[in-house]
Amino acid sequence: MIRKKLIAGNWKMNKSATEAAPLAQEIVAAAGRNTDVDIVVCPPFTALETVGKIIDGSSIKLGAQNMHPEASGAYTGEISAGMLRDLFASHILLGHSERRSYFGETDAFINKKTLAALKNQLRPILCVGETLAEREAGTTLKVVQTQIEGGLEGVTKDQVTNVVIAYEPVWAIGTGKVATTAQAQEVHAFIRGLLVKLYGDAIAQKIRILYGGSMKPSNAPELLAQKDIDGGLIGGASLESRSFLELITAAAAVK
Ligand code: 13P
């Protein structure tokens, strides 16, 4: 089973709409016709419309970084799945460790968002990963299992092929510390096994599992060559077109 590689850029709270435009233009110019790799960019909310217009007609897809599970109502400061669809977003990051740690998001809340995203034809990129303390305590796999089972509760076999999982060890995010290929592949294989248990082998083999955490052009080829690493969720190296494009090239080169 060959899973098409996916490279997603999480711009986090970087790039105003004005700053986002040239970055999106550079990505479209260099990779807008690339069909070897799926490419998603996730700008902040305020740049979604600008970036959406620039990538329109190219093979680059638009993702948002967060949403609220309800369709509308008195939730000051929040944004719904329908609002994101209206801006032609196709993907949504859910459960990023920064949302979990700084904004107190629980697996139950992330699960509500996952179900709402799927109902609205948004493809969730469900982020999971252990902290350094959890890794040192030997609980990595247990933590990841809880996050995946919690996040996917009630997601049907038909729906789950639209979900992407991103394994992002918290200690590797923005720190320059990257998981070794063996550490990453071990967790990815564990996640694949868990998906087999939850959904059966045929479906589990279709679900992409991305690695995130200081992925850059220098370490990407080795990580992307691992059997269960189906792409990358990129923070820092997605903020500059050159490094992001090099990551796309690295993903396309994996046979
Ligand atoms: P870095 O690539 O900056 O480590 O960020 C990873 C990440 O959190 C992507 O969601």
Side-chain angles (χ1 to χ4, degrees), residues 24 28 32 48-62 87-88:
V28 169
L48 280 172
E49 189 170 10
T50 300
V51 171
K53 284 183 178 151
I54 293 168
I55 65 177
D56 186 29
S58 79
S59 59
I60 319 281
K61 301 269 193 323
L62 187 65
L87 292 178
F88 305 104

Side-chain angles (χ1 to χ4, degrees), residues 29-250:
R33 286 169 193 278
N34 189 321
T35 51
D36 298 334
V37 178
D38 284 336
I39 304 164
V40 180
V41 289
C42 305
F45 291 136
T46 51
L48 280 172
E49 189 170 10
T50 300
V51 171
K53 284 183 178 151
I54 293 168
I55 65 177
D56 186 29
S58 79
S59 59
I60 319 281
K61 301 269 193 323
L62 187 65
Q65 299 173 19
N66 183 33
M67 56 170 257
H68 193 276
E70 295 299 330
S72 62
Y75 299 98
T76 302
E78 292 293 319
I79 294 209
S80 72
M83 292 170 182
L84 296 173
R85 289 289 298 155
D86 190 52
L87 292 178
F88 305 104
S90 55
H91 290 70
I92 178 81
L93 300 180
L94 294 178
H96 192 281
S97 67
E98 289 147 19
R99 302 289 325 163
R100 292 176 190 266
S101 67
Y102 302 145
F103 303 98
E105 291 197 10
T106 61
D107 288 324
F109 190 49
I110 294 161
N111 177 242
K112 281 191 189 165
K113 299 186 193 208
T114 306
L115 296 171
L118 289 165
K119 204 169 126 198
N120 286 279
Q121 284 80 49
L122 274 178
R123 294 170 181 244
I125 302 178
L126 175 64
C127 306
V128 300
E130 81 288 2
T131 62
L132 184 58
E134 288 162 343
R135 175 159 283 270
E136 285 174 348
T139 56
T140 296
L141 302 181
K142 196 163 161 283
V143 167
V144 166
Q145 178 167 358
T146 302
Q147 290 174 337
I148 290 184
E149 287 177 348
L152 292 180
E153 199 173 325
V155 174
T156 66
K157 284 188 178 189
D158 285 344
Q159 289 175 315
V160 78
T161 46
N162 290 315
V163 176
V164 173
I165 306 284
Y167 169 58
E168 301 205 305
V170 178
W171 48 271
I173 294 178
T175 57
K177 270 188 214 159
V178 64
T180 65
T181 48
Q183 281 173 326
Q185 169 56 24
E186 182 201 8
V187 180
H188 281 238
F190 173 78
I191 293 171
R192 182 90 53 213
L194 184 58
L195 294 171
V196 171
K197 266 191 231 151
L198 295 172
Y199 295 103
D201 189 58
I203 288 173
Q205 297 304 330
K206 289 185 186 157
I207 300 173
R208 287 180 292 193
I209 308 172
L210 313 183
Y211 171 80
S214 301
M215 192 188 260
K216 9 180 210 290
S218 57
N219 57 37
E222 208 189 326
L223 285 161
L224 292 169
Q226 301 302 304
K227 183 166 159 279
D228 292 294
I229 302 186
D230 306 313
L233 180 54
I234 322 296
S238 72
L239 294 174
E240 204 222 309
S241 62
R242 191 148 75 112
S243 42
F244 190 60
L245 292 165
E246 280 174 24
L247 288 163
I248 294 166
T249 305

